[in-house]
Amino acid sequence: VTKGDLEVITEGFGVLSSNKQQLLTTLTQATVKEILLKPGAEVTADSVIVRLDNPELIQEVENAKQELVQIKANLRQLKLNNQREVLNETANLAEMSARYETAVLTRKAEEKLIAEGIVSQLTYQGSVLEEQQLSKRIDVLKQRIEQLKLVHEESVNIQQERVKQQEGRLSVVQSRLESLTVKAGFTGVLQR
């Protein structure tokens, strides 16, 4: 049944009360599955007059639901991957911090031994340089972890927006599907 045909079919359903008249139509193409009430029947707002059928619309709802499930699963996976990445970087920072502490201890020990001539000036300068380099690498790692957290936060926000968009699409399709159950809308008598 085409949209035009459907409007002709549903134009046959009119509810009349003492002070108003309403023409019942639907915007979705469908076939008449079941006519529940005939002209002359008294109806309330929730009275179902006719049920329409559209298998393509039912499939569209199922597809939208499946896509929403997939997008939500992607969001959960993204959060897990982000958490793992931050944990890896935090482990790198802990390892670098331990190496730095060792370098500090080595430099301090060599600093005492240099005056006695046990450690050469070259060895001591190497220890000072290693301590400085490790300190800089720690600072870079800390900055990297902070940047990583910001990037992860934004990627999660983007994925959450996708979830909201898909929920909106699903809501629209479900609303179209629900409109296939034509209700009176108010109390009165079914006219035609």
Side-chain angles (χ1 to χ4, degrees):
V1 177
T2 66
K3 181 179 173 186
D5 293 335
L6 180 61
E7 288 173 353
V8 170
I9 290 169
T10 57
E11 281 176 8
F13 299 103
V15 177
L16 180 68
S17 71
S18 59
N19 60 354
K20 57 183 167 177
Q21 182 173 349
Q22 178 179 347
L23 187 62
L24 303 174
T25 62
T26 184
L27 300 176
T28 304
Q29 294 183 12
T31 56
V32 174
K33 182 178 180 180
E34 179 180 17
I35 298 174
L36 301 170
L37 298 174
K38 304 286 184 191
E42 290 187 20
V43 294
T44 63
D46 292 333
S47 295
V48 176
I49 298 173
V50 66
R51 292 192 206 299
L52 305 173
D53 187 36
N54 182 332
E56 291 171 1
L57 190 56
I58 294 169
Q59 185 61 48
E60 198 174 331
V61 168
E62 286 307 310
N63 291 345
K65 284 179 182 178
Q66 289 174 2
E67 190 172 340
L68 179 60
V69 167
Q70 182 62 48
I71 291 172
K72 285 182 175 181
N74 290 346
L75 176 60
R76 287 192 310 276
Q77 184 66 49
L78 177 66
K79 287 179 178 180
L80 288 174
N81 290 344
N82 291 352
Q83 186 178 22
R84 184 180 324 122
E85 194 172 355
V86 168
L87 287 174
N88 286 338
E89 290 301 318
T90 303
N92 290 340
L93 177 61
E95 180 184 334
M96 194 66 60
S97 295
R99 288 177 57 196
Y100 173 75
E101 291 300 321
T102 302
V104 169
L105 291 175
T106 301
R107 184 204 35 91
K108 285 181 179 178
E110 288 176 356
E111 193 172 53
K112 293 177 184 175
L113 297 175
I114 197 166
E116 299 173 17
I118 298 174
V119 174
S120 71
Q121 186 69 25
L122 183 61
T123 304
Y124 174 73
Q125 289 302 322
S127 295
V128 169
L129 183 61
E130 183 177 356
E131 178 185 347
Q132 290 171 350
Q133 287 177 343
L134 288 171
S135 177
K136 288 177 184 176
R137 288 178 71 185
I138 287 171
D139 289 341
V140 168
L141 269 174
K142 286 179 180 177
Q143 290 173 9
R144 183 176 173 175
I145 289 171
E146 287 307 310
Q147 262 320 107
L148 191 61
K149 288 178 181 177
L150 292 174
V151 167
H152 288 170
E153 183 179 330
E154 188 58 26
S155 66
V156 167
N157 288 342
I158 290 168
Q159 191 65 24
Q160 286 174 331
E161 282 300 315
R162 289 183 182 144
V163 169
K164 287 179 187 175
Q165 287 174 350
Q166 187 59 31
E167 286 173 340
R169 285 187 199 118
L170 176 59
S171 177
V172 166
V173 177
Q174 282 179 323
S175 176
R176 286 177 49 211
L177 183 63
E178 289 168 6
S179 74
L180 294 180
T181 300
V182 181
K183 294 183 179 181
F186 59 88
T187 303
V189 176
L190 186 62
Q191 185 179 18
R192 54 188 166 109

